[in-house]
Amino acid sequence: MEIPRDQVAALIDHGLYTSAQLLGYFLVSSSSMSAETCPSLKAENLVFLGDALFREREYRRAIHMYKQALQLYKISPKQNTPTLRSSLSASNRSPSPSSVNGSVINENEVKFKVASCHCQLSESKAALIEMEGIPYKARSLPMHLMMGKLYRSSQHNRAAVACYKECLRHCPYVLEAITALADLGVSSKDIISLFPQTPNRSGRPLYDQSDSSRWLQCYVEAQCCIASNYYKGGLEILADLLQRFPNNVHILLEIAKVEAIIGKNDEAIVNFERARSIDPHIVTYMDEYAMLLKIKSDLSKLNKLVHDLLNIDPTRPEVFVALSVLWERKDERAALSYAEKSTRIDERHIPGYIMKGNLALSLNRPEEAVAAFRAAQELRPDLRSYQGLVRSYLGFAKVKEALYAAREAMKAMPQSSKALKLVGDVHASVPSGREKAKKFYESALRLDPAYLGAALALAELHVVEGRNGDAVSLLERYLKDWADDSLHVKLAQVFAVTNMLHEALSHYQAALRINPLNEAAKKGLERLEKQMK
């Protein structure tokens, strides 16, 4: 009895994968289509079954079916005009066997399916071996994109760049290829030069220089600015894009992510919340949002965020980083295990490494922290990984290494007040370097007079060297513009040292009104109250 092969295709098209899988077993076991008499049709039937298994996330079984199909393909008589397929088909499977009588499978497409299974199983090396078996001229757009990702994860950056460039030659709108090339150091000019000028079916080029396509060039420039740590320029371009595309969730998230990196926490929170109001089920960058909520000690919002994320998709790395943030106050070791889980799910997930580094520092494991921050830096150097490295090296008195990391940051971000402050922090860690530290802190404040972090560090230096009056006058200049608990704590500490206890009491109380969970304010207030009795 003949099994209707086109019905298996129809079931897959309708998303009825379990039924397609069950019918597929009948198809591949049919006595009328044995491997000996009809190897090409048997191979095609195995691909159908493999497609159904892939959709059911049974990747190893799918690989087994695809491999059997490839073996049969090798022994089957070759057709003069094999069926060619686009890998962009919605169902990612071979065409209906009823569409071309005597059709054979496309060997390269089946290899791509095998590689896709290996990727789902986090077997990058096996996936890459499979993909390298596909001739260059036979590779489609999705194949080039997958190879770019695989080469990048295996740190073959030159090969990754070549693959991503090929993606943009095919289609300039592969935005993830644009971002990847920017991260890999390709200039905006070189990326834009890849965009094809050949016309599409409508007679218009895929990309033209008219105002209607200007947004894509701006997007390239923004990503290249961010990748080169020129955050100010990147934010300006993204803000212009947001005006043109209001309520664009992707642009809002990109802006919020950069604002979080450079310490514009309030602005970042506003943009993350705006993105969530438009798309309440977004998961991308929500771990970054969780970190900001923890800094602000907004535990109710943090709890709700984690609850929402767990209901949306509990398998994403962002969810485990958010869980790590939530658990940090309760159990740092449990928090660390969640952070580690995030990087096992996605070995390129930068916030996971940042969180691991911060937790390792809290647990007094500076060497583990160095490894985590280095891993983040290798993926994409940003301010947080440099800050983490400096803190980690200072944690076990490696001042030379800390200074090298801080200078790396200054070289990568020459116009960053935070990078200047980082070099100052290293010099301030040794008594002989305090004068140099003072100069770097002052330079940071000249570059950005509103940078509270540099003001707090300079005030601490004043206190250490007995210039308490200078510390107070410096910090009081920031009071009118900053409602910040750390500012009030620092002022309280200075006043306590100078025996101005009532002023110290007032600032500790102000700090706790802003952030009731500020441990330094709680402990300081407790000491002060005992002293005043």
Side-chain angles (χ1 to χ4, degrees), residues 71-142:
Q71 287 297 321
L72 288 173
Y73 172 79
K74 289 177 183 176
I75 64 170
S76 64
K78 301 296 182 287
Q79 305 293 319
N80 290 330
T81 56
T83 305
L84 294 177
R85 290 181 34 75
S86 165
S87 292
L88 288 172
S89 64
S91 59
N92 191 32
R93 58 172 181 76
S94 300
S96 169
S98 61
S99 61
V100 181
N101 292 328
S103 67
V104 296
I105 65 171
N106 184 323
E107 180 186 17
N108 297 323
E109 287 289 340
V110 179
K111 287 180 178 179
F112 180 50
K113 292 171 191 281
V114 174
S116 299
C117 290
H118 284 303
C119 285
Q120 293 293 334
L121 294 165
S122 300
E123 296 170 350
S124 299
K125 188 175 180 181
L128 192 54
I129 290 169
E130 205 67 46
M131 291 302 296
E132 286 177 334
I134 300 173
Y136 183 85
K137 289 185 178 179
R139 292 174 192 164
S140 62
L141 173 55

Side-chain angles (χ1 to χ4, degrees), residues 281-307:
H281 299 100
I282 194 78
V283 176
T284 305
Y285 299 156
M286 285 300 106
D287 45 359
E288 302 272 10
Y289 178 42
M291 291 180 193
L292 295 176
L293 292 176
K294 179 223 160 196
I295 291 169
K296 289 290 180 183
S297 298
D298 197 335
L299 297 185
S300 61
K301 278 188 180 179
L302 178 58
N303 269 297
K304 185 180 185 309
L305 174 65
V306 173
H307 179 268

